[in-house]
């Protein structure tokens, strides 16, 4: 019988650049071993969720300059607590029990790392948030 633990770990992508060394802090090790693979796994879902966020907020995103679009993404993640919590839930839901136990020991710092990575991924995918892309995919 396959356990949830094995199933979760088996579907995560490997990130060759996510190295863990002896001098790596516990937070950075958690980020590289757990957060980055999960966020990469959840990338398409995160994109779909942000597209929906744009639509629900009256599509003002597409009328903004690139700089303001980047600020819009940052503000959505930093200031919209419901949206931020939904993003965190999509990632935390992919934790093993052991990873969750590590996470709760320092959730504040790990949440910052998590949201920084999500923000970077959304910004790197900003071209997917054009009106044509949004309306075709939502």
């Amino acid at each position: 019988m396959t356990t949830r633990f094995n199933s979760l770990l088996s579907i995560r992508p490997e990130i060759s650049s996510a190295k863990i060394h002896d001098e790596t802090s516990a937070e950075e090790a958690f980020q590289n071993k757990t957060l980055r693979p999960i966020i990469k796994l959840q990338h398409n879902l995160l994109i779909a969720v942000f597209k929906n966020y744009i639509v629900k907020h009256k599509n003002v995103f597409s009328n903004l300059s690139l700089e303001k679009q980047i600020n819009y993404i940052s503000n959505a993640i930093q200031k919209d607590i419901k949206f931020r919590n939904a993003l965190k839930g999509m990632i935390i839901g992919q934790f093993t029990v052991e990873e969750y136990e590590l996470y709760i020991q320092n959730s504040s710092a790990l949440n910052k790392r998590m949201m920084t990575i999500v923000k970077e991924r959304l910004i790197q995918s900003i071209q997917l948030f054009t009106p044509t892309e949004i309306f075709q995919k939502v």
Side-chain angles (χ1 to χ4, degrees):
M1 184 168 105
T2 304
T3 65
R4 180 179 187 275
F5 176 90
N6 291 333
S7 296
L8 287 172
L9 295 182
S10 72
I11 63 171
R12 289 184 191 166
E14 278 193 41
I15 302 177
S16 59
S17 63
K19 304 288 185 207
I20 300 172
H21 307 286
D22 292 338
E23 60 276 354
T24 303
S25 70
E27 292 170 3
E28 187 175 356
F30 188 85
Q31 170 185 298
N32 290 338
K33 184 176 177 246
T34 303
L35 294 179
R36 289 181 65 198
I38 289 173
I39 293 168
K40 185 173 184 177
L41 174 71
Q42 296 289 72
H43 179 77
N44 290 336
L45 178 60
L46 296 170
I47 296 299
V49 166
F50 191 69
K51 285 179 179 181
N52 184 59
Y53 183 88
I54 291 170
V55 170
K56 296 283 184 196
H57 290 84
K58 300 181 176 55
N59 278 328
V60 297
F61 183 85
S62 59
N63 297 327
L64 301 174
S65 67
L66 179 60
E67 182 181 342
K68 288 186 179 184
Q69 286 179 340
I70 292 169
N71 289 336
Y72 186 97
I73 292 169
S74 294
N75 286 335
I77 291 172
Q78 292 170 352
K79 296 181 180 173
D80 188 330
I81 302 305
K82 282 176 68 174
F83 182 64
R84 180 183 178 96
N85 286 340
L87 295 173
K88 286 192 299 190
M90 289 173 216
I91 297 161
I92 294 169
Q94 295 292 318
F95 287 179
T96 64
V97 173
E98 293 80 5
E99 289 167 337
Y100 181 72
E101 289 170 353
L102 286 171
Y103 164 78
I104 59 176
Q105 292 173 14
N106 200 0
S107 61
S108 181
L110 293 172
N111 284 338
K112 286 180 187 174
R113 288 175 179 266
M114 184 189 311
M115 291 300 107
T116 298
I117 296 167
V118 170
K119 180 177 81 172
E120 288 171 1
R121 287 193 75 91
L122 291 176
I123 290 170
Q124 290 170 356
S125 301
I126 206 161
Q127 73 278 2
L128 299 175
F129 306 125
T130 63
T132 306
E133 288 289 324
I134 291 171
F135 291 124
Q136 287 178 349
K137 306 292 182 196
V138 173

